[in-house]
């Protein structure tokens, strides 16, 4: 989970002049990959280890993680604040419920169609957002998040209105696999999530990925260096929406029910909180965000906190993270690992692995910026 | 200029999104909500074939405790409605303090587990799975919301665990064997239709309704009764739940000068509609249902039109009218002890929970399936304490339990609905 690829993996490791630090950094990267593989292996075994109820919770984590990953890509990596991600999740979810339930499509077809439709909607939103920046992009996406549940209620004959729409056909496991529906839904979700995470990870390392992040850090400079600003912004929006649409597809697959109440502004804001908590630019951080969103409400209730204060707990955590750990849980893990590896050798005053302004310039929005160590 | 540009962009975005959704739909309106019932009709009187049910659902409850669970909006934007769940909790506490509930297998204590779903159907789903699979509850009580009830109904049909009288007036829930329904907006509409036939057989009627299941069901109920009579609907105007006001609709309706206004508008919209009406010269008779409550009418402060408002009701809601009623006193004492104000919401939770208790008491054998069967066909003499005198419970399986309503007149002096002097009207 704690691969340090957010910073040491890419920018710092590549540029750090202190040669002796390189192996350490690489070593941590190796640990990260091993950890990830181990985590995936354990996750793949869960259907045979958990009761059906606990497995359904774990399935939720997978869908939530994918939704958080989509916010990571758009907000964390590209710096476009999204407060309406639930709308794209909703397009994916409703596509599956409507296409499978009313039009006889198969689940994979409907999920793919949902992702494509969400991407198209993403492009439509991205076009006005092109001229806007920071807070105004946030307001645009906020508007989408606000209007989406209303649209669902407007087209009641198709969407089932405020009562929601259920899907009686389950995605049946392949004959002879010996899996039950819940196990199959979990495994499909796991594969989709892992592929999506790998994709985003590779994207992040690629030239396009660097362009995406350069736009976040300083769009004017990025454009000066030849980054096609409009294309990058629209493509990121579309890609993020497609991932969110896929997450919606998983939601429909797992629950066979969707209603406007599940896709309100609250949900969008929860995804945003998930991103901040996991780490806005970290791919594995998305899973931490997903875990948080699934288990935190139960945990606060188990701790004896009256549910009505749960949003206050979220809010408080968000403030703490913005002040003390902008990289979220993943960023915190990276920082700690770097501290541990640095301590014995670093002579006082030498701060070779400390990010400088050139390494991680301030982004306009402040989102996606790595934690300056001075604060920690 | 910039504003209009942004507006245009906003409209374009909204239009495009709408297009996306309608494209997704491809024009069909066919519903796929056919229930996956766990068994065919027949077998027992209540129509439940338990042969496909898990053993845990048919096994008789042993020990001296019955575990039940509920899920509702304890936090989030709808947390205020969570007082319904707190009311159920208070009721359970009072029963246990009195030694428990009498059942067919002797006196049993109730163990109630309450979970928070923030009014999100997906969270209700998780909560109900937790209650059924982890806590092994014998019944789900006090679910809040139509979507929330619908989200778990197919699952509960599979598990053969009843969802007893959720707080929802939707007819869609009636198709599920293990979900029972207290009262529906469709029935309230039918009662209003019958009242129209009795009192205003040649009336011209104007309608304001909320464009969702609630408003549409109410209107459909009215239409089911007045088709082919001398009553004509001259104008129907709808509003979206998210609209900010209803003045445009009310202006259109006022132009009809109809004799009767059917107001199927929720809380604030009801207040707004009455205020708009007061500003015109139109003075129709106003018929409404439980969507519009006492405080909504008081908030409008409309002395000129307040003499002709009638509303369907089956519960004892008003402290002024029932303050000396023994059952109402018990209710007030129980909820105030837990710090809950004895307003309309606790009453709307109390009555269904009384039906839940009747189902559990009468279940034979005392098992999940037994409770479900009892709930589908309650004994005819069941009478919840906060149900108005004179109202008879419906015992037909697959129908709502409460199908009779009074048409109460508004009493401007008392600032509340009075008691109708006429017998209740049945929707059946």
């Amino acid at each position: 989970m704690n691969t340090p690829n957010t910073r040491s993996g890419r920018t710092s490791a590549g540029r750090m002049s202190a040669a002796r630090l390189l192996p350490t950094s690489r070593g941590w990267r190796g640990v990260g990959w091993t950890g990830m593989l181990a985590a995936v292996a354990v996750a793949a075994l869960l259907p045979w280890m958990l009761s059906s109820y606990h497995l359904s919770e774990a399935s939720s984590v997978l869908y939530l993680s994918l939704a958080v990953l989509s916010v990571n890509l758009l907000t964390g990596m590209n710096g476009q604040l999204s407060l309406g991600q639930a709308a794209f999740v909703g397009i994916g979810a409703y596509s599956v419920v409507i296409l499978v339930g009313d039009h006889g499509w198969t689940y994979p077809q409907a999920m793919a169609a949902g992702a494509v439709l969400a991407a198209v909607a993403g492009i439509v939103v991205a076009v006005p957002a092109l001229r806007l920046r920071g807070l105004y992009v946030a307001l645009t996406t906020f508007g989408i998040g606000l209007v989406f549940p209303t649209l669902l209620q407007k087209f009641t004959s198709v969407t089932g209105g405020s009562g929601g729409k259920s899907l009686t056909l389950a995605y049946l496991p392949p004959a002879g696999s010996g899996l039950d529906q819940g196990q199959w839904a979990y495994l499909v979700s796991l594969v989709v999530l892992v592929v999506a995470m790998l994709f985003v990870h590779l994207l992040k390392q690629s030239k396009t990925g660097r362009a995406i992040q350069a736009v976040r850090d300083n769009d004017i400079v990025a454009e000066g260096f030849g980054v096609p600003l409009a294309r990058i912004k629209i493509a990121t929006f579309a890609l993020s929406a497609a991932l969110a649409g896929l997450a919606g597809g998983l939601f429909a697959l797992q629950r066979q029910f969707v209603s406007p109440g599940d896709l309100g502004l609250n949900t969008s804001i929860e995804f945003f909180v998930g991103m901040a908590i996991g780490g806005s630019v970290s791919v594995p951080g998305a899973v931490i965000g997903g875990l948080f969103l699934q288990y935190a409400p139960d945990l606060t209730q188990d701790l004896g906190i009256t549910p009505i204060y749960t949003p206050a707990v979220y809010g408080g955590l968000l403030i703490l993270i913005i002040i003390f750990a902008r990289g979220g849980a993943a960023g915190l893990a990276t920082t700690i690992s770097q501290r541990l590896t640095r301590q014995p050798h670093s002579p006082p005053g030498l701060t070779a692995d400390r990010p400088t302004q050139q390494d991680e310039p301030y982004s306009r929005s402040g989102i996606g910026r790595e934690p300056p160590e001075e604060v920690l | 200029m910039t504003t209009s540009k942004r507006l245009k962009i906003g409209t374009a975005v909204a239009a495009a999104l709408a297009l996306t959704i309608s494209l997704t739909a491809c024009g069909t309106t066919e519903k796929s909500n056919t229930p996956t019932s766990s068994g065919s009709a027949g077998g027992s009187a209540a129509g439940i074939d338990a042969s496909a049910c898990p053993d845990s659902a048919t096994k008789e409850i042993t020990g001296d405790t019955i575990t039940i669970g509920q899920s509702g909006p304890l936090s989030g934007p709808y947390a205020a409605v969570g007082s319904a769940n707190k009311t159920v909790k208070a009721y359970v506490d009072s029963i246990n303090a009195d030694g428990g509930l009498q059942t067919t297998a002797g006196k049993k204590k109730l163990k109630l587990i309450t979970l928070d779903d923030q009014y999100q159907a997906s969270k209700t789903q998780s909560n109900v799975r937790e209650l059924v699979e982890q806590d092994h509850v014998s019944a789900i009580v006090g679910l809040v919301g139509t979507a929330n009830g619908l989200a778990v109904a197919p699952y509960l049909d599979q598990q053969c665990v009843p969802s007893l009288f959720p707080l929802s007036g939707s007819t869609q829930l009636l198709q599920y064997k293990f979900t029972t329904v207290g009262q529906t907006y469709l029935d309230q509409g039918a009662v209003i239709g019958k009242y129209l036939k009795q009192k205003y057989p040649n009336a011209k009627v104007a309608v304001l309704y909320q464009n969702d299941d609630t408003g549409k069901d109410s209107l459909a109920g009215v239409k089911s009764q007045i088709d082919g009579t001398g009553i004509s609907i001259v104008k129907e105007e709808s509003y979206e739940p998210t609209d900010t006001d209803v003045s445009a609709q009310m202006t259109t309706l006022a132009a009809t000068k109809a004799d009767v206004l059917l107001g199927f508008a929720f809380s604030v919209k009801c207040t707004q509609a009455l205020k708009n009406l007061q500003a015109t010269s139109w003075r129709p008779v106003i018929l409404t249902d439980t969507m519009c409550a006492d405080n909504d009418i008081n908030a409008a402060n409309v002395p000129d039109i307040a003499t002709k408002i009638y509303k369907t009701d089956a519960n004892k809601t008003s402290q002024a009218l029932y303050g000396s009623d023994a059952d109402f006193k018990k209710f007030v004492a129980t909820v105030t002890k837990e710090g809950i104000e004895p307003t309309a919401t606790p009453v709307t939770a109390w009555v269904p929970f009384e039906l839940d208790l009747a189902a559990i008491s009468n279940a034979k054998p005392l098992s999940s399936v037994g409770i479900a069967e009892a709930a589908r066909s309650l004994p005819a003499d069941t009478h919840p304490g906060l149900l108005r005198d004179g109202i008879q419970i419906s015992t037909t399986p697959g129908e709502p339990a409460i199908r009779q309503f009074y048409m109460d007149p508004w009493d401007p002096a008392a600032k509340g609905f009075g008691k109708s002097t006429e017998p209740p009207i049945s929707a059946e």
Side-chain angles (χ1 to χ4, degrees):
Chain A
M1 294 281 164
N2 56 351
T3 73
N5 63 9
T6 50
R7 178 163 65 226
S8 58
R10 184 179 48 84
T11 336
S12 317
R15 290 196 201 153
M16 263 184 299
S17 47
R20 70 183 154 70
L21 275 168
L22 273 168
T24 327
S25 196
R26 250 184 217 156
W28 273 100
R29 196 177 187 179
V31 170
W33 275 108
T34 321
M36 278 305 288
L37 281 174
V40 171
V42 171
L45 287 174
L46 284 183
W48 294 274
M49 292 156 68
L50 294 181
S51 71
S52 115
Y53 167 67
H54 285 301
L55 190 66
S56 75
E57 281 188 321
S59 296
S60 282
V61 171
L62 300 178
Y63 125 75
L64 288 167
S65 303
L66 188 52
V68 171
L69 183 68
S70 77
V71 187
N72 267 355
L73 179 60
L74 186 60
T75 303
M77 292 173 207
N78 197 222
Q80 307 198 68
L81 277 167
S82 174
L83 295 174
Q85 211 71 2
F88 302 121
V89 173
I91 290 172
Y94 270 94
S95 298
V96 169
V97 172
I98 291 169
L99 291 175
V100 175
D102 296 349
H103 299 275
W105 292 37
T106 64
Y107 269 90
Q109 286 169 344
M111 282 170 69
V116 171
L117 282 170
V120 171
I123 292 172
V124 171
V125 178
V127 172
L130 266 186
R131 304 178 171 208
L132 309 170
R133 230 184 233 149
L135 193 60
Y136 297 101
V137 178
L139 281 177
T140 310
T141 53
F142 187 80
I144 303 300
L146 200 66
V147 85
F148 184 72
T150 315
L151 279 175
L152 294 173
Q153 285 165 41
K154 188 94 192 166
F155 298 96
T156 301
S157 57
V158 179
T159 62
S162 55
K165 194 170 173 73
S166 54
L167 184 56
T168 47
L169 281 167
Y171 189 24
L172 293 176
S177 63
L179 296 167
D180 69 24
Q181 257 177 48
Q183 291 170 326
W184 178 238
Y186 174 86
L187 289 173
V188 171
S189 306
L190 183 66
V191 170
V192 172
L193 175 66
V194 169
V195 170
M197 284 174 71
L198 207 60
F199 173 76
V200 175
H201 176 75
L202 293 175
L203 175 73
K204 218 175 122 184
Q205 316 285 42
S206 72
K207 196 179 153 202
T208 317
R210 284 196 294 277
I212 288 175
Q213 295 177 80
V215 170
R216 170 201 69 202
D217 292 338
N218 194 323
D219 51 358
I220 296 167
V221 173
E223 203 172 18
F225 277 97
V227 173
L229 212 55
R231 237 190 296 163
I232 287 286
K233 277 186 167 182
I234 292 181
T236 314
F237 230 115
L239 203 56
S240 162
L243 289 179
L246 264 182
L250 295 182
F251 177 88
L253 166 78
Q254 292 170 10
R255 298 178 174 269
Q256 294 169 48
F257 183 86
V258 60
S259 74
D262 290 316
L263 302 163
L265 269 181
N266 254 22
T267 313
S268 294
I269 290 168
E270 279 182 8
F271 293 151
F272 192 84
V273 172
M275 172 203 73
I277 284 181
S280 59
V281 290
S282 162
V283 174
V287 178
I288 300 174
L291 284 166
F292 175 85
L293 293 180
Q294 174 61 32
Y295 294 108
D298 289 353
L299 210 65
T300 50
Q301 205 169 350
D302 289 348
L303 288 173
I305 299 169
T306 317
I308 200 143
Y309 298 123
T310 313
V313 174
Y314 277 26
L317 262 176
L318 200 56
I319 292 170
L320 287 177
I321 283 171
I322 288 169
I323 297 175
F324 296 113
R326 288 210 185 155
L332 210 58
T334 311
T335 317
I336 291 168
S337 76
Q338 284 181 342
R339 285 226 164 159
L340 289 177
T341 48
R342 180 186 66 189
Q343 224 83 75
H345 308 289
S346 273
L350 181 73
T351 52
D353 63 342
R354 173 176 292 191
T356 61
Q357 286 295 323
Q358 290 98 318
D359 272 346
E360 292 287 334
Y362 283 79
S363 71
R364 285 172 180 274
S365 60
I367 292 292
R369 197 184 135 212
E370 292 291 339
E373 290 189 343
E374 291 80 2
V375 181
L376 285 160
Chain B
M1 244 208 278
T2 24
T3 329
S4 79
K5 214 180 219 173
R6 288 221 179 109
L7 249 170
K8 261 188 212 157
I9 291 167
T11 323
V13 170
L17 257 177
L19 189 71
T20 320
I21 288 171
S22 49
L23 277 178
T24 322
C26 282
T28 25
T29 53
E30 198 190 349
K31 285 219 169 173
S32 70
N33 279 358
T34 40
T36 46
S37 65
S38 55
S40 53
S44 78
I48 288 178
D49 176 6
S51 59
C53 288
D55 290 344
S56 56
T58 47
K59 206 178 69 186
E60 201 165 335
I61 300 163
T62 50
D64 58 357
T65 309
I66 302 171
T67 310
I68 54 178
Q70 64 171 348
S71 172
L74 305 180
S75 69
Y78 299 94
V81 190
S83 66
N85 301 93
K86 290 180 195 156
T87 302
V88 171
K89 176 88 179 75
Y91 200 157
V92 165
D93 289 347
S94 80
I95 289 168
N96 287 337
D98 294 345
L101 179 74
Q102 190 62 50
T103 69
T104 54
K107 260 202 166 179
K108 304 268 187 195
K109 294 252 180 180
L110 295 176
K111 183 184 170 200
L112 175 70
I113 301 163
T114 304
L115 298 176
D116 176 29
D117 60 28
Q118 300 183 335
Y119 208 61
Q120 287 182 23
S122 60
K123 294 207 163 101
T124 313
Q125 263 187 335
S126 308
N127 286 350
V128 165
R129 283 199 73 155
E130 181 176 347
L131 291 168
V132 171
E133 292 173 33
Q134 299 295 116
D135 302 313
H136 307 289
V137 296
S138 302
I140 302 289
V141 301
L143 288 186
V144 180
T146 302
N148 311 67
L150 284 170
V152 297
Y155 169 78
L156 289 172
D157 269 7
Q158 274 171 22
Q159 299 291 322
C160 299
V161 174
S163 168
L164 300 172
F165 304 102
L167 292 194
S168 158
S170 168
T171 46
Q172 291 182 64
L173 286 166
L174 288 169
Q175 59 181 318
Y176 297 99
K177 287 209 156 68
F178 282 83
T179 300
T180 50
V181 175
Q183 54 186 52
T184 63
Y185 286 106
L186 188 73
D187 280 353
Q188 294 193 47
V191 165
I192 290 174
K194 285 189 173 179
Y195 183 80
L196 270 175
K197 276 198 289 192
Q198 279 176 23
K199 302 277 171 178
Y200 312 98
N202 296 305
K204 285 204 191 84
V205 179
V207 186
L208 175 72
Y209 69 97
Q210 177 161 313
N211 192 17
D212 67 357
D213 296 344
T214 322
K216 284 184 191 163
D217 275 3
S218 303
L219 184 55
V222 175
K223 285 185 176 165
S224 72
Q225 297 298 323
I226 63 167
D227 274 355
T229 67
I231 300 164
S232 57
I233 294 182
V234 290
K235 190 87 199 164
E236 291 174 15
E237 282 288 310
S238 68
Y239 69 88
E240 300 302 320
T242 45
D243 284 353
T244 46
D245 81 346
V246 294
S247 54
Q249 287 88 337
M250 288 308 290
T251 310
T252 314
L253 292 176
T256 67
K257 298 280 174 200
D259 310 309
V260 177
L261 168 67
L262 302 182
F264 300 127
F266 254 123
S267 59
V268 179
K269 301 294 166 32
C270 179
T271 307
Q272 288 176 348
L274 292 174
K275 276 197 162 163
N276 285 316
L277 189 54
Q278 167 89 9
T280 68
S281 59
W282 184 33
R283 293 291 175 262
V285 170
I286 301 160
L287 303 180
T288 183
D289 60 16
T290 48
M291 293 169 84
C292 192
D294 287 18
N295 50 344
D296 303 322
I297 296 173
N298 279 323
N301 190 20
V302 282
D304 290 4
I305 51 171
T307 50
K308 290 191 291 185
I309 307 176
Y310 299 86
K311 172 194 171 182
T312 54
D313 204 356
N315 298 342
K316 299 172 185 169
T317 310
S318 148
Q319 200 142 12
L321 293 175
Y322 304 101
S324 57
D325 180 287
D327 291 310
F328 198 81
K329 271 189 192 162
K330 179 186 157 198
F331 156 75
V332 172
T334 309
V335 297
T336 41
K337 208 171 112 189
E338 298 296 323
I340 307 161
E341 284 241 25
T343 55
T345 308
V347 173
T348 51
W350 185 276
V351 174
F353 191 64
E354 288 187 291
L355 296 172
D356 300 355
L357 293 174
I360 298 171
S361 288
N362 287 295
K364 203 173 165 93
L366 184 58
S367 66
S368 289
V369 172
I371 295 171
E373 284 178 338
R376 281 172 71 78
S377 184
L378 289 166
D381 61 352
T382 309
H383 193 89
L386 287 195
L387 192 65
R388 297 262 288 275
D389 298 334
I391 288 182
Q392 199 69 54
I393 287 278
S394 163
T395 59
T396 318
E399 296 290 353
I402 298 166
R403 306 199 69 189
Q404 300 180 349
F405 297 88
Y406 286 101
M407 287 300 294
D408 290 330
W410 178 256
D411 180 354
K415 290 189 175 293
F417 280 99
K419 261 194 245 186
S420 167
T421 51
E422 292 164 37
I425 302 171
S426 171
E428 279 172 279

